[in-house]
Amino acid sequence: MPSLMMQSRVSPQASTINALLLASAITVDLRAGKEIHGYSVAMGFEEDVSSITWNSMIFACVNHGYCDEAIELFNQMVKMEERKLDHLTFTACSHAGMVDLGEGLFSLMQEKYGIVPRLEHYACLVDLLGRAGKVDEAYGIVQRMPIDANLFVWGALFGACRQHNCLDLAEIVAKRLAKLEPKSSGSSVVLSSLYGE
């Protein structure tokens, strides 16, 4: 870490700090990440710690099941680095299962930060609602989207239909998926397996 470099009388650069923060995120070593971030603040590198690094740390926490830590990092980013929030910062919450938080972030992203939702934001929101059993609400989001839903959005809804055994909606979604990907029989196979259960 930076202390090892300093013992060798080598001063880490901002790019080194970013790499170390990313490495601590991938290995989910939150203590090291906090120490490295503290070092970057003390040494004046804070301006150079990129949104890519923050986003990577948040995603790593979520992907490893550390949702509370991801939220803590997000809150730190808001507090200290508000200017670095971008569209990727707002896509990490769907697996956390925190519907109120996810919906709040979806609104915050638009209202406070002026970020126009992209397909990946809608896919996350649909996935979040679907995992929570709010399949009809998720379908309502898809119907009201100002852009055409892609495979990921429809796939998230199809997964929710499968998880919660919503056969009628699964048929509708399977037809949409078949139109988007006519050479794939995946949605038809899954739909037929739902009828078999």
Side-chain angles (χ1 to χ4, degrees):
M1 302 288 186
S3 61
L4 189 60
M5 292 179 76
M6 289 171 51
Q7 289 173 1
S8 302
R9 298 187 190 275
V10 176
S11 296
Q13 301 296 313
S15 59
T16 305
I17 298 298
N18 274 321
L20 289 171
L21 283 169
L22 183 55
S24 66
I26 291 169
T27 60
V28 195
D29 188 345
L30 297 177
R31 193 180 118 255
K34 287 179 180 180
E35 288 175 7
I36 294 164
H37 182 261
Y39 175 83
S40 71
V41 171
M43 298 305 292
F45 289 130
E46 188 175 22
E47 292 293 318
D48 298 322
V49 176
S50 70
S51 61
I52 294 169
T53 304
W54 278 104
N55 292 338
S56 297
M57 292 179 359
I58 291 169
F59 276 103
C61 287
V62 169
N63 288 335
H64 287 89
Y66 295 100
C67 299
D68 291 336
E69 288 82 354
I71 294 164
E72 181 185 329
L73 284 170
F74 175 83
N75 289 334
Q76 285 179 10
M77 188 176 183
V78 168
K79 183 178 173 186
M80 299 180 336
E81 307 288 336
E82 190 167 307
R83 67 197 171 283
K84 293 184 181 179
L85 295 173
D86 62 19
H87 72 280
L88 291 174
T89 311
F90 291 92
T91 60
C93 68
S94 70
H95 293 285
M98 300 175 179
V99 175
D100 292 339
L101 176 65
E103 289 177 323
L105 289 174
F106 190 79
S107 295
L108 180 73
M109 169 184 86
Q110 297 170 76
E111 294 165 10
K112 183 172 181 181
Y113 297 100
I115 297 171
V116 177
R118 297 180 180 192
L119 286 167
E120 59 265 30
H121 298 117
Y122 285 107
C124 285
L125 185 58
V126 167
D127 183 53
L128 176 68
L129 293 168
R131 286 174 186 263
K134 298 182 174 195
V135 181
D136 290 334
E137 192 176 332
Y139 184 47
I141 295 291
V142 175
Q143 290 178 310
R144 291 188 304 276
M145 285 174 54
I147 51 180
D148 291 335
N150 65 3
L151 285 171
F152 297 107
V153 175
W154 286 113
L157 186 56
F158 194 63
C161 291
R162 182 175 180 214
Q163 180 182 357
H164 299 288
N165 205 29
C166 301
L167 294 176
D168 292 339
L169 184 54
E171 280 186 39
I172 294 168
V173 175
K175 288 176 185 174
R176 294 292 184 125
L177 286 168
K179 284 182 183 177
L180 289 171
E181 204 172 38
K183 294 183 180 184
S184 173
S185 60
S187 57
S188 299
V189 170
V190 172
L191 186 59
S192 65
S193 73
L194 281 173
Y195 282 114
E197 291 177 355

